[in-house]
Amino acid sequence: MATRPDTARKILLYWMDAALGLVWFMSVAFIAEDAMRGELSVARAAVNVVLVTAFFGLGPFLLHEAFEHRPKPTLKLLLAGVLSAALFVLSPLDGASAAMWLQTMTMWASLAALYLKPRVTIVLASLLVIVVTAHAGLVVGLPWQGILVGQLINSVLMIGAMLVWRWLWWVIRDAYMSREAVARLAVAEERLRFARDLHDLLGHSLSVITLKSELAAKLATKDTGRAAAEMAEVRALAGESLFEVQQAVHGYQALDLEEELAGVRAALEAAGVRCAIEARTDSLSPSAKMLLAWAVREGATNILKHSAATRCEIRIDEGVLEMLNDGVTEPAVAPGSGLRGLSERLVTVGGSFSAEPTPGGRFLLRAVVPA
C-alpha cells in the first residue's frame, strides 16, 4: 500500500514534534519560575519566552525538511542557531533551571546534525561544547569540569538520538521499497518468461511462413500448382503455430498447486513475511487444485502489494482455502480486478470466495471449491 511509509514517517515526525512541544512547555515553565524567584526580570522573561517559542516553533519545520534526506543548511537553521545562542546567553545559568538552559545550544546542534555531514557535525558539536563550557566557566563562574563532561554526554546522546530517529525512518522506507521491488521483479520475470516462450514458439514458424508466402507469391504467375502447394504448407504451419500458442497459454493458466505454494512461500519470505503452510489436498480433483492455486497466487499478490504483513498462514483442508495475514493498516476498500476475477471464477463452478479484515486486525482470504 502506497501510504504505509508515509504513515510511518508521520508517526515518527509527530512523535518528535510532540517531544519538542513538551520541551517548549517545560522551558516556559522554567522561565516563569525564574521570574517568580527574581532570577529574571519581567522584561527578560518576556524576551526569553519569545525566543524559546520562536526556536521551538522552527523545530518542526527543520525536522520535516531534513527527515527524508540530508538537505543543505537553510536560513531557518541559521535563524534557529541564533535564537538558541541568544536564549543561552540571556538565561540564568546560575539558578535552579541552569541544566535546562545549558542544553539550548545542544538542541540546536541535534537539529543541525540532520543537515550536516558527520564530520562537520562532530566539529560543530565540539566547538559548541567548548563555547558553552567557556561561557559557563569564565563568565558565569560555574565549575567548568562538570559542565564539560555534561555537555559532552548530552551532545552525544541528543545528536545520536536525532540521527537514529531519522535512520529508523530510512530503514522503514527502504524495507518497504525492497518489498515492492520483489513484487515487481516477480512480475517482470513472469513477463520475460512468457515473452521468451512465445518467441521460441513463434519465431521459427513465422519466419518459415514469411518465406513460403513470398515464394508462393513469386510462383503464382509461373507455376500455380507449386504456388498452391506452398500456400497449403503455409496454412498447415499457421495451424500448428496457433495450436502451440494455445497450449502455451493453457500451460500458464493450468497452475500446479504444490508448485504455487512453494513459490508463494519463497516470495513472501523474500519480502520478510513468515509463511506457515498446512495443506491437505489428496481428494481434490485437478480442476479444484488449479482453482486453489489461482487463489493462492492472487492472495500472495494482495499481501505483497496491499499490506504490511509480517506473518501469513495458509491452510487448505480439502476444498477450503484460508489465507490469514497480519499487517492490515487501512480500512477495507473495493476489491481489485484480480480478486473480482477470482471470485467470479469460483462462483461459476459452484464455489465461494471472500476477502475481508477480521475483528482481530488481520485479513482473511477464504476460497471454497467443489472437491
Side-chain angles (χ1 to χ4, degrees):
M1 122 200 359
T3 60
R4 189 164 68 248
D6 291 337
T7 301
R9 181 177 183 272
K10 289 178 181 178
I11 291 173
L12 293 173
L13 284 173
Y14 290 162
W15 182 276
M16 298 176 76
D17 291 346
L20 289 176
L22 177 61
V23 177
W24 169 83
F25 178 80
M26 294 172 58
S27 300
V28 173
F30 277 122
I31 292 172
E33 183 179 1
D34 290 339
M36 288 186 292
R37 289 181 177 180
E39 296 175 0
L40 277 178
S41 64
V42 175
R44 282 185 63 187
V47 171
N48 279 18
V49 168
V50 172
L51 292 174
V52 77
T53 301
F55 175 74
F56 285 104
L58 284 173
F61 294 101
L62 296 172
L63 285 173
H64 287 238
E65 282 183 356
F67 215 63
E68 186 70 31
H69 52 87
R70 183 184 291 111
K72 294 182 179 180
T74 63
L75 289 177
K76 286 195 288 289
L77 180 64
L78 178 60
L79 177 59
V82 173
L83 291 171
S84 65
L87 186 62
F88 169 72
V89 172
L90 294 177
S91 298
L93 301 182
D94 53 355
S97 60
M100 181 70 171
W101 309 123
L102 285 171
Q103 307 311 319
T104 54
M105 299 290 284
T106 307
M107 291 180 189
W108 175 73
S110 66
L111 291 172
L114 299 176
Y115 290 78
L116 305 175
K117 295 181 179 179
R119 186 175 301 177
V120 179
T121 300
I122 293 174
V123 173
L124 175 64
S126 301
L127 290 175
L128 291 179
V129 168
I130 294 173
V131 169
V132 170
T133 302
H135 179 82
L138 298 177
V139 178
V140 183
L142 297 177
W144 66 270
Q145 296 89 342
I147 300 298
L148 177 62
V149 173
Q151 287 298 304
L152 286 173
I153 294 175
N154 285 319
S155 295
V156 172
L157 292 178
M158 294 177 69
I159 295 175
M162 187 69 73
L163 293 176
V164 166
W165 206 247
R166 183 175 64 180
W167 171 82
L168 179 60
W169 151 242
W170 285 355
V171 170
I172 295 173
R173 178 195 60 190
D174 293 345
Y176 177 80
M177 292 174 64
S178 67
R179 290 179 55 152
E180 283 193 327
V182 168
R184 289 195 300 268
L185 180 61
V187 174
E189 288 180 346
E190 188 69 12
R191 288 175 176 170
L192 180 61
R193 185 163 70 96
F194 189 75
R196 184 174 59 247
D197 289 351
L198 284 180
H199 177 270
D200 293 342
L201 287 171
L202 297 178
H204 176 71
S205 298
L206 291 178
S207 297
V208 174
I209 288 173
T210 301
L211 291 174
K212 286 187 172 294
S213 299
E214 292 176 352
L215 178 59
K218 292 178 181 178
L219 294 173
T221 58
K222 300 177 181 180
D223 189 345
T224 56
R226 188 178 173 188
E230 293 292 341
M231 289 308 300
E233 291 185 16
V234 168
R235 180 179 179 181
L237 283 172
E240 291 176 5
S241 299
L242 177 60
F243 176 76
E244 290 175 349
V245 170
Q246 290 173 340
Q247 290 297 108
V249 172
H250 177 72
Y252 276 92
Q253 292 177 340
L255 301 180
D256 181 80
L257 179 56
E258 285 71 22
E259 291 181 0
E260 197 62 32
L261 287 172
V264 163
R265 184 202 294 271
L268 290 177
E269 291 184 349
V273 183
R274 290 177 297 167
C275 185
I277 298 177
E278 297 180 11
R280 294 175 55 245
T281 61
D282 296 337
S283 64
L284 292 178
S285 64
S287 60
K289 288 184 177 181
M290 184 183 69
L291 287 171
L292 290 182
W294 275 109
V296 169
R297 172 178 286 192
E298 189 61 37
T301 302
N302 198 52
I303 291 171
L304 289 172
K305 293 177 63 178
H306 304 296
S307 81
T310 59
R311 181 172 177 81
C312 174
E313 299 174 7
I314 303 176
R315 293 189 295 270
I316 302 178
D317 188 2
E318 300 307 335
V320 179
L321 162 70
E322 290 186 347
M323 292 184 67
L324 187 67
N325 66 275
D326 59 2
V328 179
T329 57
E330 284 189 351
V333 295
S337 58
L339 294 180
R340 285 197 302 270
L342 180 60
S343 177
E344 293 169 359
R345 182 179 301 184
L346 290 171
V347 172
T348 300
V349 299
S352 63
F353 175 82
S354 63
E356 57 190 3
T358 67
R362 297 194 287 179
F363 192 88
L364 175 63
L365 181 149
R366 190 172 192 273
V368 180
V369 298

